[in-house]
């Protein structure tokens, strides 16, 4: 589809160049021919008084030669312009359509992945219900287990729909920014997490303030801590440190574990992407939307989200957001 569109757009660009080139060539040819005719007449006029017949022959020969040379030059020039214009048109057409193509591919991939994630729990629920209906001797305990299993799948679908809705909202949402103290926010989120996993430590603190939405900053740290807890051994410590770089400040979350291979690092912020590729690993349940949400939030704040990792080594996620300055406080 995009190849055909590129060819059509190239044809339109090239056609416009050809028409403009021909129009300019006609104007140049007419002007140049008239100028040559006038010049030859003025230069050769003395011959007319001595030999009129020779004057007409010489004038016609010189004029024909000048017009022929001019025509050849214009043809060569036009051919060069058409070739260069066609190549340039094709390049511009591809460059024009490239963002649309990338958006289309991302949308197709997103739809495919979302369909997969929706289909998996629905298929599980359907299978369990069909098996239960075929068993006339199903006990009450087995029915409760079935309902409990179906409820888990419904919870998964609810979480997925909420994440998808939030991603959609972030595409069009206006973020209200304020002064956020990173130290206080980090401690709040870590204390909340310690009820589930007590192995998180705030190793480096300082009074740093960023210009951001506080709930978004909390969500960012929550996503990264949740990711660290899922992908690190139970007997290891997860380190959180506040960091600063020039006009940016934020936090770094480091965890031990299997690490992320270098070939998968560029894709971990893609929607529905998971480095372990297993979509049925219950110990690492999720939909691959958390890091995509985190990246979207950071982009909306004009910040940076980076990751460093290697297979078998520790992984560190770094979030940097614009620092809240005194000048910004005066203008609020």
């Amino acid at each position: 589809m995009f190849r055909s569109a590129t060819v059509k757009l190239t044809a339109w660009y090239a056609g416009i160049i050809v028409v403009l080139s021909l129009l300019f060539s006609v104007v140049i040819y007419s002007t140049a021919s008239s100028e040559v005719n006038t010049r030859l007449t003025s230069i050769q006029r003395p011959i007319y008084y001595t030999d009129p017949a020779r004057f007409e022959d010489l004038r016609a020969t010189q004029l024909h030669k000048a017009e022929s040379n001019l025509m050849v030059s214009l043809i060569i020039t036009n051919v060069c312009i058409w070739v260069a214009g066609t190549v340039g048109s094709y390049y511009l057409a591809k460059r024009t359509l490239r963002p649309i193509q990338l958006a289309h591919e991302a949308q197709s991939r997103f739809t495919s992945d979302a369909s997969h994630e929706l289909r998996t729990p629905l298929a599980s629920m359907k299978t369990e219900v069909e098996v239960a209906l075929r068993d006339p001797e199903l006990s009450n305990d087995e029915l409760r287990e079935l309902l409990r299993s179906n409820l888990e799948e419904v919870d998964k679908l609810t979480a997925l729909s909420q994440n998808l809705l939030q991603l959609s909202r972030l595409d069009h949402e206006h973020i209200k920014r304020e002064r956020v103290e990173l130290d206080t926010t980090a401690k709040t989120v870590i204390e909340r997490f310690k009820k589930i996993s007590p192995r998180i430590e705030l190793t480096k603190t300082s009074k740093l303030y960023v210009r951001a939405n506080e709930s978004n900053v909390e969500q960012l740290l929550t996503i990264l801590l949740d990711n660290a807890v899922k992908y690190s051994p139970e007997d290891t410590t997860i380190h959180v440190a506040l960091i600063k770089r020039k006009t940016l400040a934020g936090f770094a979350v480091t965890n031990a574990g299997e690490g992320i291979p270098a070939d998968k690092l560029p894709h971990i912020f893609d929607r529905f992407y998971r480095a372990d590729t297993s979509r049925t690993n219950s110990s690492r349940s999720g939909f691959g939307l958390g890091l995509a949400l985190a990246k979207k939030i950071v982009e909306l704040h004009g910040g940076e989200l980076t990751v460093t990792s290697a297979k078998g080594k520790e992984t560190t996620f770094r979030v940097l957001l614009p620092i809240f300055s005194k000048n910004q406080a005066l203008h609020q």
Side-chain angles (χ1 to χ4, degrees), residues 21 137 183 217 241 248 255 315:
S21 176
E137 299 179 358
D183 181 59
V217 175
L248 300 174
N255 66 274
T315 300

Side-chain angles (χ1 to χ4, degrees), residues 116-134:
H116 178 93
E117 296 291 354
L118 289 169
R119 186 169 59 248
T120 301
L122 289 174
S124 176
M125 293 170 63
K126 185 174 183 292
T127 301
E128 290 179 347
V129 171
E130 287 176 344
V131 171
L133 289 174
R134 291 173 185 170

Side-chain angles (χ1 to χ4, degrees), residues 21-38 63 66-67 70-71 74:
S21 176
L22 289 175
L23 287 175
F24 278 113
S25 295
V26 169
V27 172
I28 292 172
Y29 182 80
S30 300
T31 305
S33 296
S34 176
E35 181 67 19
V36 168
N37 188 23
T38 303
L63 183 60
E67 290 177 345
L70 180 60
M71 181 65 72
L74 286 174

Side-chain angles (χ1 to χ4, degrees), residues 70-89:
L70 180 60
M71 181 65 72
V72 171
S73 298
L74 286 174
I75 290 173
I76 294 174
T77 302
N78 276 301
V79 169
C80 293
I81 290 174
W82 297 343
V83 171
T86 302
V87 173
S89 297

Side-chain angles (χ1 to χ4, degrees), residues 169-187:
R169 285 176 175 172
L170 284 173
D171 285 334
H172 309 284
E173 191 172 272
H174 177 70
I175 300 288
K176 182 181 178 181
R177 296 179 176 87
E178 56 192 353
R179 189 179 79 159
V180 178
E181 185 180 355
L182 289 179
D183 181 59
T184 302
T185 302
K187 288 178 180 177

Side-chain angles (χ1 to χ4, degrees), residues 238-296:
I238 298 169
H239 301 282
V240 180
L242 300 187
I243 56 177
K244 180 181 178 182
R245 192 185 72 191
K246 296 181 180 179
T247 60
L248 300 174
F251 42 80
V253 178
T254 303
N255 66 274
E258 299 176 3
I260 306 172
D263 61 323
K264 295 181 179 180
L265 277 177
H267 307 289
I268 63 171
F269 297 112
D270 295 343
R271 297 177 182 184
F272 293 108
Y273 184 85
R274 277 170 288 184
D276 65 351
T277 66
S278 172
R279 294 183 181 271
T280 57
N281 191 338
S282 58
S283 66
R284 295 177 179 179
S285 59
F287 300 102
L289 290 175
L291 292 179
L293 269 171
K295 185 173 180 61
K296 188 65 179 179

Side-chain angles (χ1 to χ4, degrees), residues 19-192:
V19 171
L20 291 175
S21 176
L22 289 175
L23 287 175
F24 278 113
S25 295
V26 169
V27 172
I28 292 172
Y29 182 80
S30 300
T31 305
S33 296
S34 176
E35 181 67 19
V36 168
N37 188 23
T38 303
R39 295 287 182 179
L40 286 174
T41 301
S42 62
I43 293 172
Q44 297 172 352
R45 187 170 296 279
I47 302 174
Y48 176 78
Y49 296 106
T50 58
D51 192 348
R54 182 166 173 259
F55 167 76
E56 293 296 336
D57 292 340
L58 182 61
R59 180 175 173 277
T61 301
Q62 294 295 326
L63 183 60
H64 177 72
K65 186 175 180 180
E67 290 177 345
S68 299
N69 291 338
L70 180 60
M71 181 65 72
V72 171
S73 298
L74 286 174
I75 290 173
I76 294 174
T77 302
N78 276 301
V79 169
C80 293
I81 290 174
W82 297 343
V83 171
T86 302
V87 173
S89 297
Y90 183 77
Y91 170 77
L92 291 175
K94 286 193 68 174
R95 186 172 180 180
T96 300
L97 294 173
R98 183 62 177 168
I100 303 174
Q101 183 179 2
L102 291 176
H104 182 269
E105 291 174 354
Q107 185 66 32
S108 298
R109 187 168 57 252
F110 176 81
T111 303
S112 175
D113 290 337
S115 299
H116 178 93
E117 296 291 354
L118 289 169
R119 186 169 59 248
T120 301
L122 289 174
S124 176
M125 293 170 63
K126 185 174 183 292
T127 301
E128 290 179 347
V129 171
E130 287 176 344
V131 171
L133 289 174
R134 291 173 185 170
D135 187 358
E137 299 179 358
L138 199 67
S139 66
N140 288 336
D141 290 338
E142 290 173 327
L143 283 173
R144 289 192 186 93
E145 183 61 30
L146 171 65
L147 291 174
R148 189 179 296 111
S149 176
N150 283 347
L151 184 59
E152 289 177 358
E153 299 300 333
V154 170
D155 289 339
K156 290 180 181 179
L157 290 173
T158 302
L160 174 60
S161 62
Q162 289 175 344
N163 285 335
L164 291 174
L165 182 60
Q166 188 170 7
L167 273 172
S168 176
R169 285 176 175 172
L170 284 173
D171 285 334
H172 309 284
E173 191 172 272
H174 177 70
I175 300 288
K176 182 181 178 181
R177 296 179 176 87
E178 56 192 353
R179 189 179 79 159
V180 178
E181 185 180 355
L182 289 179
D183 181 59
T184 302
T185 302
K187 288 178 180 177
T188 300
V189 176
I190 291 173
E191 286 300 319
R192 193 184 305 150

